Amino acid sequence: METVLETKNITMKFGGLVAVDNFSMKLGKSDLVGIIGPNGAGKTTIFNMITGIYKPTEGDILLANENIVGKHVALITQKGIARTFQNIRLFKDLTVLDNIRIAGHYRTDYGLMANILRTKKFHQEEKRLKAEAIELLKIFKLDGKLNHLAKNLPYGEQRRLEIARALATKPDVLLLDEPAAGMNPNETADLTKLIRWVRDEFKIAILLIEHDMRLVMEVCERIYVVDHGELIAKGNPEEVQKNPKVIEAYLGTQDEKEGKE
Amino acid sequence: MEYFSHLLLNSGIFIILSVSLNLINGICGQFSLGHAGFWAVGAYTGAAYGVYLAPDFLPDFVNLFISCGIGFLTAALAGVLIGVPCLRLRGDYLAIATLGFGEIIRIIIMNMDTVGGPRGFTNIPLWSNLFWVYAWVAITILVIANILRGTHGRAIISIREDEIAADSMGIYTFKYKTMAFVLGAGFAGLAGSLFAHANQFLHPNGFTFMWSVIILLMIILGGLGSITGSIVGAVILTFLPEMLRFMGETISEWRMVIYAVLLILLMLMKPTGIFGKHEFNVLSFLAKFTGKKKEII
Ligand SMILES: Nc1ncnc2c1ncn2[C@@H]1O[C@H](COP(=O)(O)OP(=O)(O)OP(=O)(O)O)[C@@H](O)[C@H]1O
Ligand SMILES: [Mg+2]
């Protein structure tokens, strides 16, 4: 299996707090892999390191065998890693169409002067950009809402739009941070299908953080479990579910969770 | 009549200033308080060209064109010098740095004898007229509106919407912040040159921090992010003080207080400004009557 993304012993310290400790993982071409773990385990921090928002205190991150540690967030996206955010970060006051077109920006091939002067190249590229956006939005059943503002979409559609926007950057690796958060069971069931379909259709690797265990167990081929920044287990869904360390980690936080809710 | 055309000319100059500041503050979301500084740079360099360098054999409008070009470029250069170090900083730092920049420019001019220093810069040739001012207004609006409806403009807007998300979409946000900032500064410089050749006299105290605030008020009044709003805001705030003047000396002296009250009222009734982020678009306006919906790019 060809590896597209690999993290080698990445560690992230915030002052005295070790948010992620020596985390290593591999993601093969068109793998569908999950990262699970209790609240505050360091899952999102792993995503932030992979996408360049945080620079790991230690360790390497290889994208197609190239070390991307220290590279600009935008460049990492251009090289093929796209993501969604735990707390949806759409361009709220812009239309659905514009959200997607912005993701196509770096592949748009006309200069500022061509833009100001409205050259032929400008019109060609804008036409392509729009056509591609509509095609993508059709898949996500959002093509009927091209000119709706992102903030006016229902919650589930905002989540879908965010995935579509990530895909519009034409990634090789897609990182989804709790895509089912806040969805009802019906929406989650649709999302489960969608995620699998996206992987098969776009032939990309997907790395997924999720608290919804049914979704994770159903869709992921392999799972990494982190707790307090450390990798405590990995394997296929059955293996992970049976792992005593995992059970302990989840039971251990069960009381806290109940206390919170 | 002459009084009225002078006002109209001023409002044109302020339209360029407000639309260009709107590109930085309203559209790109970077809080700049130094617009009067860029305006001053363009005014003084444009005027210096008129006083010292302009060849007499060129027709006035050509000289005005060159002067505007110089005003644009020097102010844009100042924009690069101040923007590149400061745009990496977030939020308030930029506001403070640009505020400082505006005052520094004023003090530098104050100490430059070749441009009159504290006595003011006199004998600037009268080249601006209503036609050319509004030609430049049209060009400014067209250029900025075109940029906005293309990929560069969308990149600039995405920074205002969510910088981290913009980065994560493969956009070099720093590059586009700088683009918006430098273009905004450049157009302010252009307005400066037009202003110099309309007034024929410049004084450093005509470019105080107060003016940066007034231009900011214009775009807030009209609605941050809306070009149409900036235009309306500029027109209102150039004509309003004159109307107050007619109402008598005391009222005129209370000008800034009246602005403040107006602004508070506006913020209470319509916090997003007159136009919000919307644009008045002739096509979509007409469409309201024809029932057809014409799609805007
Ligand atoms: N920028 C930061 N500065 C300081 N501490 C941080 C920062 N980002 C994350 N942390 C800390 O790192 C730890 C891991 O956070 P992270 O967001 O990665 O957890 P998570 O596994 O995604 O949790 P959740 O399931 O709640 O989203 C937490 O203790 C958090 O407070
Ligand atoms: Mg998280």
Side-chain angles (χ1 to χ4, degrees):
Chain A
M1 192 73 201
E2 189 188 334
T3 307
V4 276
L5 179 72
E6 182 176 2
T7 70
K8 280 185 170 167
N9 305 310
I10 50 173
T11 296
M12 187 76 229
K13 293 182 185 155
F14 298 109
L17 176 86
V18 186
V20 176
D21 192 8
N22 251 313
F23 181 76
S24 298
M25 60 149 278
K26 275 185 183 178
L27 199 61
K29 206 171 183 294
S30 68
D31 265 0
L32 220 172
V33 171
I35 299 181
I36 60 171
N39 289 102
K43 305 178 296 294
T44 300
T45 306
I46 293 172
F47 273 20
N48 284 340
M49 285 190 280
I50 294 174
T51 53
I53 290 177
Y54 297 155
K55 186 167 184 258
T57 325
E58 280 160 53
D60 294 325
I61 300 168
L62 306 179
L63 176 66
N65 289 321
E66 183 196 358
N67 196 344
I68 53 168
V69 168
K71 296 235 176 344
H72 193 279
V73 180
L75 183 64
I76 291 175
T77 306
Q78 295 180 10
K79 283 179 178 293
I81 300 180
R83 73 174 294 180
T84 63
F85 295 87
Q86 187 168 347
N87 316 304
I88 308 180
R89 277 175 175 265
L90 286 168
F91 304 120
K92 294 193 196 67
D93 279 315
L94 302 185
T95 62
V96 168
L97 179 62
D98 277 344
N99 267 275
I100 302 292
R101 284 195 291 200
I102 285 169
H105 168 79
Y106 82 87
R107 292 182 289 107
T108 307
D109 184 27
Y110 62 81
L112 185 62
M113 268 300 147
N115 185 347
I116 293 169
L117 300 172
R118 304 275 128 151
T119 60
K120 201 172 141 205
K121 185 98 187 167
F122 165 87
H123 288 290
Q124 273 171 2
E125 281 290 282
E126 282 295 311
K127 207 170 144 190
R128 176 187 63 81
L129 210 53
K130 188 171 174 182
E132 280 182 16
I134 292 174
E135 199 183 330
L136 186 63
L137 286 168
K138 268 195 189 126
I139 296 171
F140 287 83
K141 299 196 184 70
L142 286 166
D143 55 319
K145 297 193 167 179
L146 291 185
N147 293 317
H148 290 225
L149 296 186
K151 66 177 176 191
N152 294 338
L153 297 181
Y155 191 80
E157 287 186 357
Q158 291 195 15
R159 285 259 175 225
R160 288 218 304 273
L161 177 58
E162 213 194 9
I163 298 174
R165 185 182 66 171
L167 284 171
T169 66
K170 299 255 163 103
D172 300 315
V173 179
L174 177 63
L175 311 180
L176 303 174
D177 198 345
E178 303 198 15
M183 283 190 172
N184 64 36
N186 278 336
E187 287 173 326
T188 308
D190 284 346
L191 183 74
T192 311
K193 269 185 251 157
L194 184 73
I195 290 173
R196 220 186 260 126
W197 189 88
V198 163
R199 191 271 307 265
D200 296 340
E201 178 73 17
F202 292 86
K203 310 239 171 351
I204 56 175
I206 296 179
L207 185 61
L208 171 100
I209 295 174
E210 190 47 72
H211 281 299
D212 187 313
M213 284 306 144
R214 267 191 49 199
L215 188 152
V216 177
M217 297 300 163
E218 207 178 315
V219 84
C220 295
E221 291 140 2
R222 268 184 307 127
I223 295 169
Y224 290 85
V225 190
V226 283
D227 187 21
H228 295 294
E230 280 174 56
L231 181 67
I232 56 166
K234 60 182 176 186
N236 64 37
E238 292 95 87
E239 287 166 359
V240 163
Q241 268 169 311
K242 278 188 230 133
N243 190 312
K245 274 188 180 166
V246 178
I247 296 168
E248 198 195 299
Y250 271 89
L251 285 180
T253 55
Q254 202 64 39
D255 312 329
E256 293 167 29
K257 269 196 168 166
E258 276 164 7
K260 251 197 309 199
E261 280 154 12
Chain B
M1 198 56 224
E2 197 171 309
Y3 168 74
F4 185 72
S5 80
H6 178 75
L7 263 184
L8 213 56
L9 205 134
N10 266 349
S11 81
I13 288 165
F14 276 104
I15 288 172
I16 299 178
L17 285 167
S18 65
V19 170
S20 58
L21 183 67
N22 187 34
L23 178 63
I24 302 172
N25 285 35
I27 293 164
C28 189
Q30 306 303 304
F31 196 55
S32 167
L33 273 176
H35 225 50
F38 298 117
W39 184 26
V41 169
Y44 271 87
T45 54
Y49 168 78
V51 171
Y52 296 118
L53 297 171
D56 286 334
F57 61 85
L58 289 176
D60 285 358
F61 79 91
V62 177
N63 268 327
L64 179 66
F65 186 86
I66 296 171
S67 176
C68 284
I70 291 173
F72 185 99
L73 290 175
T74 50
L77 184 69
V80 173
L81 292 180
I82 184 86
V84 167
C86 295
L87 287 168
R88 293 189 191 276
L89 310 171
R90 269 165 214 270
D92 312 338
Y93 295 108
L94 182 68
I96 292 162
T98 48
L99 189 159
F101 157 78
E103 288 302 289
I104 288 167
I105 286 294
R106 208 166 58 80
I107 289 160
I108 291 175
I109 295 169
M110 202 64 113
N111 288 290
M112 273 174 74
D113 232 26
T114 33
V115 291
R119 284 169 285 113
F121 201 3
T122 50
N123 294 324
I124 303 165
L126 177 68
W127 290 336
S128 295
N129 56 33
L130 271 182
F131 176 80
W132 285 110
V133 166
Y134 277 89
W136 279 113
V137 167
I139 292 169
T140 306
I141 294 172
L142 194 74
V143 167
I144 293 181
N146 270 5
I147 291 174
L148 287 192
R149 286 177 301 138
T151 198
H152 306 87
R154 288 192 294 263
I156 289 170
I157 295 173
S158 74
I159 298 170
R160 169 192 77 197
E161 291 293 307
D162 190 326
E163 195 171 335
I164 290 179
D167 272 325
S168 303
M169 290 304 115
I171 290 167
Y172 283 107
T173 47
F174 177 67
K175 173 181 164 186
Y176 288 95
K177 273 193 229 172
T178 309
M179 185 186 276
F181 193 78
V182 170
L183 278 172
F187 279 109
L190 192 153
S193 176
L194 289 171
F195 178 75
H197 296 293
N199 260 31
Q200 297 183 271
F201 173 74
L202 298 174
H203 193 279
N205 288 345
F207 300 97
T208 53
F209 167 64
M210 258 296 268
W211 286 103
S212 294
V213 174
I214 290 176
I215 303 164
L216 185 67
L217 285 183
M218 291 173 178
I219 64 174
I220 293 175
L221 180 71
L224 277 175
S226 162
I227 296 177
T228 324
S230 300
I231 297 167
V232 172
V235 173
I236 291 177
L237 285 193
T238 27
F239 280 88
L240 189 68
E242 300 305 318
M243 278 155 61
L244 295 179
R245 186 138 72 193
F246 278 125
M247 293 181 193
E249 192 86 341
T250 21
I251 294 188
S252 182
E253 273 170 17
W254 286 77
R255 191 166 63 113
M256 286 317 279
V257 177
I258 293 170
Y259 285 5
V261 171
L262 267 182
L263 201 69
I264 291 168
L265 283 180
L266 180 80
M267 289 301 124
L268 288 176
M269 291 181 314
K270 201 164 186 306
T272 51
I274 298 172
F275 279 83
K277 279 177 189 152
H278 300 286
E279 299 292 353
F280 175 78
N281 184 295
V282 186
L283 292 178
S284 49
F285 183 69
L286 290 177
K288 281 193 181 134
F289 296 101
T290 57
K292 257 186 270 169
K293 225 180 157 183
K294 172 112 175 60
E295 200 189 322
I296 312 147
I297 309 180

